[in-house]
Amino acid sequence: MLAVFSRADERFGGGHARLAVVQYLTSDVAGYLQGRFATDDDRRAMFSVAAEMTYLAGWKAFDSSLHGLAQRYYVQALRLANEADDRPLAGFTLRAMAHQAVDLGHGHEALRLADASLEWSRGRATPAATALFTILTARGYAATNDKSRASAAIHAAETHLSKALPDDEPTWIQTSGFTETSLASQAGQALRDLGDLPAAETQLRQSIATRNPEAHRRIHTLTLANLADVQCKQGRLREATENWNHALDAMAGVRSGRASSAVKNMRTQLSSFGTRLPAFARQLDTRATAFLHHNGALAHPHPS
C-alpha cells in the first residue's frame, strides 16, 4: 500500500489521495501497530513501514501547503521510527523537515534539521541516504549565504551518491527516486539561491534531461519551473517562457500546492516587465492565471 500511494504521489501530487492515506493510517495501520508479533524483528519492521506511511502523509500535507499539519505528521513519523530503532528513516524525516524549512525561507532552521538528519543516522545510513541528507545541508548553507560550505556540501553529496548500490538502499530511497537526477535538482536550487545562475541552470538541465517525466511528474514540473525562473533572471525571457509553458503542460492532473506556488512565482516574474512584456509572455501569463483559477481549491485544502 505504501508503494501504491507513493507512486501516485510522485505522479499526481500531494493533493491527490491525501485523505486516503490519512484514512488508511487511522483505519488499518493503527490497528496493525497494536497487534502481536512473532518476533521483535517483525515488530520493528511494522513500526518502520508505519513511520514511512506517516512520513508520506506529512509529505503530502507539505506539498499541499498545509505546513503545520505536515510538521505534526513528521513528528509522529519520527516517534514511530524511533520505536523501530530505525535511525536512518528518522534522518529521512528530518531531511523532509529541512526541505520544508528551506522552502519557507527559514535557512538556519533548515540547516539545523539537515545537520540533525546526518547526526541522527551517522554510521547507519547508506551512501544514497547520506547523499540526500548532505544535499539538504547544501540548501541550508545556500539559504544562509555560505557559498564555500554550500559548494563543499554539493561535492560531498555527489561523492556519497557515487558509492551507492541501488539494491542495497532502503525502500524509502528507492520509492522517492533519489538518484543523480534528484541530486542535480537540489544542487541547482542551492546554486540559484547563491546567485550562481549559470551553474544552477546546468544542474537543472541535467535533472530534466535524465528524469522519467511521467513517473515523477510533480518534481519534473517543479524543475522545469525552476529552470525557467533561472533563465528569466538571466534576461532570457523567450527561453524561460518556453520552459514555463512546458511546466504548465506537465502540470495537467497534478494537485500540488508547490506547483501552484511555482505558477504564482511565474506571474510575479512576468509582472516585473510591466508594459514591456512581449505578446508571447502575455499569453503565458493568461494561461498561468487560468491554471491558478482552475486550481484555486488548493489554496484552502481540507486540513485532516
Side-chain angles (χ1 to χ4, degrees):
M1 288 303 296
L2 176 63
V4 169
F5 282 130
S6 296
R7 284 194 297 267
D9 179 71
E10 289 289 334
R11 290 187 65 190
F12 303 116
H16 175 81
R18 187 181 67 81
L19 295 182
V21 173
V22 173
Q23 180 64 33
Y24 187 66
L25 276 170
T26 56
S27 65
D28 292 72
V29 177
Y32 297 153
L33 295 178
Q34 296 173 23
R36 294 174 179 266
F37 301 94
T39 69
D40 196 48
D41 284 346
D42 288 344
R43 178 182 176 278
R44 286 198 298 269
M46 179 61 76
F47 273 82
S48 282
V49 76
E52 285 189 66
M53 185 70 79
T54 307
Y55 154 82
L56 179 60
W59 183 259
K60 291 178 80 64
F62 159 59
D63 192 51
S64 298
S65 300
L66 294 167
H67 294 295
L69 183 63
Q71 290 172 352
R72 292 196 291 275
Y73 279 119
Y74 287 152
V75 169
Q76 188 61 36
L78 282 171
R79 290 172 176 161
L80 290 166
N82 184 61
E83 186 69 22
D85 191 29
D86 193 338
R87 295 179 74 86
L89 179 56
F92 183 62
T93 304
L94 287 164
R95 178 276 329 175
M97 297 171 77
H99 194 148
Q100 180 183 29
V102 77
D103 275 16
L104 293 175
H106 306 310
H108 289 289
E109 180 69 4
L111 186 55
R112 185 183 70 82
L113 289 163
D115 282 339
S117 73
L118 284 167
E119 184 61 34
W120 194 261
S121 61
R122 193 175 305 280
R124 294 174 64 175
T126 57
T130 303
L132 174 58
F133 305 159
T134 302
I135 197 62
L136 260 297
T137 67
R139 295 290 310 275
Y141 285 129
T144 55
N145 203 33
D146 191 333
K147 185 173 183 178
S148 62
R149 287 182 176 174
S151 298
I154 291 172
H155 179 70
E158 291 170 343
T159 300
H160 285 302
L161 192 57
S162 71
K163 300 175 183 176
L165 298 173
D167 291 342
D168 294 339
E169 294 295 331
T171 57
W172 38 267
I173 284 289
Q174 299 173 28
T175 302
S176 66
F178 183 72
T179 61
E180 291 87 350
T181 299
S182 302
L183 193 150
S185 176
Q186 291 296 322
Q189 292 175 77
L191 291 163
R192 174 204 61 197
D193 294 345
L194 287 169
D196 190 346
L197 300 181
E201 181 171 356
T202 297
Q203 293 280 1
L204 294 169
R205 283 186 179 279
Q206 178 186 342
S207 181
I208 290 165
T210 55
R211 191 183 300 283
N212 180 333
E214 186 58 30
H216 302 282
R217 194 190 307 174
R218 175 187 52 205
I219 187 58
H220 181 64
T221 68
L222 294 174
T223 309
L224 281 167
N226 284 328
L227 174 60
D229 180 56
V230 165
Q231 291 171 330
C232 184
K233 287 175 177 173
Q234 293 178 89
R236 289 153 44 209
L237 182 58
R238 186 171 287 278
E239 289 177 73
T241 297
E242 289 176 1
N243 280 308
W244 270 321
N245 271 308
H246 291 324
L248 285 170
D249 291 341
M251 284 179 193
V254 174
R255 292 183 55 79
S256 166
R258 287 191 293 160
S260 293
S261 293
V263 177
K264 291 175 184 176
N265 174 67
M266 176 197 310
R267 294 205 67 219
T268 298
Q269 295 280 16
L270 295 175
S271 69
S272 67
F273 288 85
T275 57
R276 298 179 293 109
L277 190 67
F280 65 83
R282 288 199 299 272
Q283 291 174 354
L284 170 65
D285 188 56
T286 299
R287 188 181 179 197
T289 302
F291 173 89
L292 291 172
H293 178 75
H294 179 73
N295 291 274
L298 283 175
H300 304 286
H302 194 290
S304 294

